[in-house]
Amino acid sequence: MEKYKRLLFEKIKNQIAGWFDSGVELMISNEEVYRFLHSIKGTSGTLDLRGLYQVSTRLLESIEDRGKSDWDKKTLRDFLYEIISLAYQYEHFNDASAPLPRGDSDTEHVPLIQVIDDDLSMLILLKDALESKGWMVIAHTDPDKAVAQSYDLQADCFIVDINLEGRDGLEFLERMQRNAQYQLVPKIMISVDNSRETRMKAYKLGADDFIEKPIDMEELIVRVGRQLQRKQYVDNLALVDELTKVYNRRFLSNQLERSIQEFRRTRLPFSIAILDIDWFKKINDTFGHPAGDRVLVDLAHFLKEQSRTSDVVFRYGGEEFVILFPKTTESEAVAVLSRLLQGFSSLFFEEMDETFSATFSAGVIAVTSAYQESADLLRAADQALYEAKESGKSRIVSANKINPESRKKLYVSVIDDDAIIRAMLVKILQGMDMGKFTLDIAAYEDGKTFFASGRLEGDGEHFLILDGIMPVMDGLEVLQKVKQTNDSAHVLMLTGRKSEYDISRALKLGADDYMTKPFSIKELEARIQRLIKRMF
């Protein structure tokens, strides 16, 4: 029986590859799709694959009602997604009758933990244990990369080994404490050295907890959970950003909702703008993150002092700020923003005996409909902001005057020799709304085909989902060549190997994260969405 099940799923995989891997946009006949589903229904019923039988039966009924129209690739991939998902599930979990995993759209609030340890065995163990609780874990062997990424990832907790090879984990702790002095981010130190002297030094440098190796994983999970709860409690209480002393994102949600309700009642206009400091990464790279923090503080102070008394300033996240303009039309908001931009760009900052100035770009939207929701307004203002960035920076763009389809493009490439996984990932990515980005999605069966396409050489941001084990070129070879061609590309490795050597090589070659096969569809979707939102 198992032999025939394997043959059935191999047949499904081959047909999916035949339909979706061709670079030519050919139409697929309805009759061909009908025969495919009819065959699956008959075979799955005989083999007692109930989930597959039920899905194929339902799709057949649907196709009979559709008529004789041919299928384009995207429409057919969407239509067959449950079949594709069940095929993956059966192959990796040996249960094709179980409920189909669904993606979780609420990825914004999944806690993110950064783990820094040069012991690969411990790193893998910690990542697996913590992710089993639904938390997202980014693993590092290099503390410098961990610090650099922490500003983009905005981790909710750090777990750091004190005894890093050639480095002192306490130095890393001191560095993180300096850089994150205005925000609560729990830091848990782990060490084989449990002496009172080491523990006291760790606590004095800002550690929130200390756990001795070997680690009791059950206890670790409880203690990490307590730290995450503590952070969430403090975040929920705070309405003012600790660094800049302007209102935070949480208070923005309340105020924006009140403004929308007021507009629906009175029809008096209001506007909202998102501001972003230009070339902020260059400031951090040149003068250090503390200098970048000082620029943020000065901009926040300037906006509060120089905007109108009725305007409300919020820190939206990173180097982004929001200004809410009550009873203000679009042209009035643009005029205020233009004045603020001119004034801020005339200020000078001094760092390391150098003087420099800074500017910002802004996207603004005026409320024009009682049916607009807060998320729609912020998305539109964010889109206008990126239009301002793309058109030269140091300018204000109105969302009411741009093409709503105009978004920054993010190139997402799937490189995996498994046709089922390729089709499944393309479907997942097509269903994601990344707000400021339009996802340009392409899938490749191996590294050679990917590089031959020349896709990586084009301008723009790139995110790769890369299988670690492939014919023609191994995943690690592909990763190495990717980083040589475009070092700024971000890479999520999918690997069926838990070899310490392979994971260590992937991290050292520049992979941003890895996931071990098999993984649930829900877990994979949440990870991709979170990484894209945090890294870009």
Side-chain angles (χ1 to χ4, degrees):
M1 187 71 76
E2 289 301 318
K3 171 186 174 183
Y4 296 109
K5 289 180 180 179
R6 286 195 299 273
L7 288 173
L8 171 62
F9 283 93
E10 193 64 34
K11 176 182 177 180
I12 294 173
K13 185 178 293 189
N14 290 337
Q15 183 62 80
I16 294 299
W19 278 336
F20 302 131
D21 282 351
S22 169
V24 183
E25 281 299 322
L26 296 175
M27 301 294 285
I28 298 122
S29 73
N30 196 57
E31 183 182 353
E32 188 178 355
V33 178
Y34 181 89
R35 287 200 304 268
F36 171 67
L37 290 171
H38 192 273
S39 172
I40 292 175
K41 176 184 175 181
T43 308
S44 61
T46 303
L47 297 175
D48 196 30
L49 297 172
R50 289 164 297 167
L52 198 56
Y53 177 80
Q54 291 169 4
V55 171
S56 57
T57 300
R58 175 162 46 79
L59 295 182
L60 269 173
E61 292 171 355
S62 175
I63 207 174
E64 287 170 351
D65 296 336
R66 185 176 185 270
K68 296 184 178 181
S69 302
D70 290 345
W71 298 79
D72 63 77
K73 286 185 179 182
K74 182 182 184 305
T75 305
L76 183 58
R77 185 187 287 112
D78 292 348
F79 181 70
L80 295 177
Y81 180 62
E82 287 181 275
I83 295 283
I84 294 168
S85 301
L86 281 171
Y88 170 80
Q89 189 175 327
Y90 176 80
E91 182 177 5
H92 294 284
F93 299 102
N94 200 28
D95 183 5
S97 61
L100 185 67
R102 297 292 184 184
D104 183 359
S105 60
D106 185 21
T107 61
E108 288 287 340
H109 304 294
V110 176
L112 188 148
I113 302 167
Q114 282 186 262
V115 181
I116 302 96
D117 197 323
D118 56 9
D119 180 344
L120 261 296
S121 299
M122 179 58 67
L123 199 64
I124 294 169
L125 190 63
L126 287 169
K127 184 176 171 72
D128 287 349
L130 295 167
E131 289 189 340
S132 72
K133 299 300 294 180
W135 301 325
M136 182 175 171
V137 178
I138 303 295
H140 302 275
T141 56
D142 181 355
D144 291 329
K145 183 174 182 179
V147 171
Q149 281 200 343
S150 67
Y151 291 91
D152 296 325
L153 293 173
Q154 300 174 36
D156 297 290
C157 182
F158 290 97
I159 300 176
V160 186
D161 183 17
I162 286 181
N163 309 105
L164 298 170
E165 184 177 355
R167 303 288 295 273
D168 184 350
L170 292 174
E171 290 179 13
F172 170 83
L173 172 63
E174 189 172 18
R175 188 175 169 188
M176 286 305 303
Q177 183 68 7
R178 245 190 347 261
N179 291 339
Q181 58 181 310
Y182 299 105
Q183 49 190 306
L184 171 63
V185 182
K187 292 167 280 291
I188 300 174
M189 305 304 291
I190 56 177
S191 177
V192 293
D193 179 6
N194 192 37
S195 66
R196 182 178 184 277
E197 180 183 0
T198 301
R199 294 197 314 273
M200 290 296 291
K201 188 173 182 181
Y203 287 130
K204 287 178 180 178
L205 289 174
D208 296 276
D209 202 352
F210 189 104
I211 300 176
E212 182 183 9
K213 289 184 176 181
I215 294 173
D216 181 326
M217 286 298 169
E218 188 175 356
E219 180 182 348
L220 172 74
I221 287 171
V222 171
R223 290 164 76 165
V224 170
R226 291 290 294 170
Q227 293 294 342
L228 291 173
Q229 286 176 350
R230 172 171 159 255
K231 174 176 171 51
Q232 185 178 29
Y233 178 74
V234 172
D235 289 347
N236 288 342
L237 286 177
L239 296 178
V240 174
D241 178 64
E242 293 178 280
L243 174 64
T244 61
K245 307 307 179 188
V246 296
Y247 291 118
N248 61 18
R249 187 169 182 162
R250 182 173 301 281
F251 191 55
L252 167 65
S253 300
N254 297 333
Q255 293 299 104
L256 185 52
E257 199 57 45
R258 288 179 60 183
S259 297
I260 291 172
Q261 294 302 324
E262 180 72 9
F263 173 80
R264 290 169 180 167
R265 187 177 63 83
T266 66
R267 290 300 189 272
L268 290 173
F270 77 92
S271 298
I272 185 167
I274 300 181
L275 290 64
D276 182 282
I277 298 176
D278 298 323
W279 307 111
F280 188 68
K281 185 177 186 302
K282 184 177 179 181
I283 294 173
N284 281 333
D285 291 345
T286 305
F287 302 106
H289 290 281
D293 285 348
R294 285 189 282 275
V295 174
L296 291 174
V297 170
D298 285 356
L299 174 58
H301 180 75
F302 177 84
L303 294 176
K304 283 177 65 177
E305 291 296 314
Q306 299 300 320
S307 58
R308 302 172 309 177
T309 55
S310 59
D311 302 334
V312 189
V313 180
F314 308 83
R315 187 180 181 193
Y316 193 51
E319 65 270 26
E320 290 186 331
F321 292 84
V322 165
I323 303 180
L324 188 60
F325 300 97
K327 301 178 182 178
T328 304
T329 64
E330 171 209 13
S331 58
E332 291 169 340
V334 170
V336 174
L337 289 166
S338 299
R339 175 175 58 79
L340 292 172
L341 174 58
Q342 183 178 9
F344 181 68
S345 61
S346 65
L347 301 180
F348 289 94
F349 302 90
E350 291 188 9
E351 297 288 343
M352 301 179 180
D353 297 325
E354 289 189 42
T355 301
F356 66 93
S357 59
T359 60
F360 63 76
S361 300
V364 61
I365 182 168
V367 179
T368 57
S369 169
Y371 299 102
Q372 289 173 292
E373 302 290 342
S374 57
D376 299 327
L377 293 171
L378 290 170
R379 189 181 297 114
D382 199 37
Q383 184 180 330
L385 166 62
Y386 275 84
E387 181 80 8
K389 291 283 190 181
E390 288 296 294
S391 56
K393 299 182 174 61
S394 187
R395 62 193 62 204
I396 294 98
V397 171
S398 170
N400 303 87
K401 294 182 178 178
I402 66 171
N403 180 354
E405 299 302 317
S406 174
R407 294 190 191 181
K408 189 175 182 181
K409 188 175 288 187
L410 173 63
Y411 295 93
V412 183
S413 303
V414 178
I415 310 169
D416 197 307
D417 64 324
D418 188 317
I420 293 290
I421 290 180
R422 287 198 303 277
M424 188 170 62
L425 282 170
V426 169
K427 164 63 178 171
I428 288 172
L429 289 162
Q430 286 175 340
M432 289 183 179
D433 182 0
M434 289 289 106
K436 61 192 176 188
F437 286 117
T438 295
L439 300 188
D440 184 310
I441 304 160
Y444 304 88
E445 60 185 332
D446 56 51
K448 185 176 180 181
T449 308
F450 170 69
F451 288 115
S453 72
R455 180 175 173 85
L456 195 61
E457 298 164 12
D459 291 336
E461 303 279 9
H462 289 265
F463 181 73
L464 279 68
I465 304 170
L466 174 61
D467 185 17
I469 307 173
M470 291 186 293
V472 186
M473 290 180 72
D474 186 78
L476 292 175
E477 293 179 71
V478 176
L479 174 60
Q480 187 170 23
K481 189 170 180 180
V482 163
K483 287 298 181 178
Q484 289 170 351
T485 307
N486 187 336
D487 186 52
S488 64
H490 291 279
V491 179
L492 170 63
M493 290 288 292
L494 308 178
T495 177
R497 304 177 288 201
K498 284 199 176 183
S499 160
E500 291 183 18
Y501 172 78
D502 291 324
I503 293 173
S504 175
R505 283 276 293 157
L507 293 174
K508 287 179 180 177
L509 287 172
D512 296 280
D513 195 15
Y514 73 90
M515 289 186 69
T516 305
K517 295 180 180 178
F519 38 72
S520 74
I521 298 168
K522 178 179 178 180
E523 176 190 8
L524 179 61
E525 182 174 0
R527 178 62 56 91
I528 292 169
Q529 198 159 18
R530 186 75 178 269
L531 282 175
I532 289 176
K533 285 186 175 180
R534 290 296 181 99
M535 290 180 170
F536 299 98

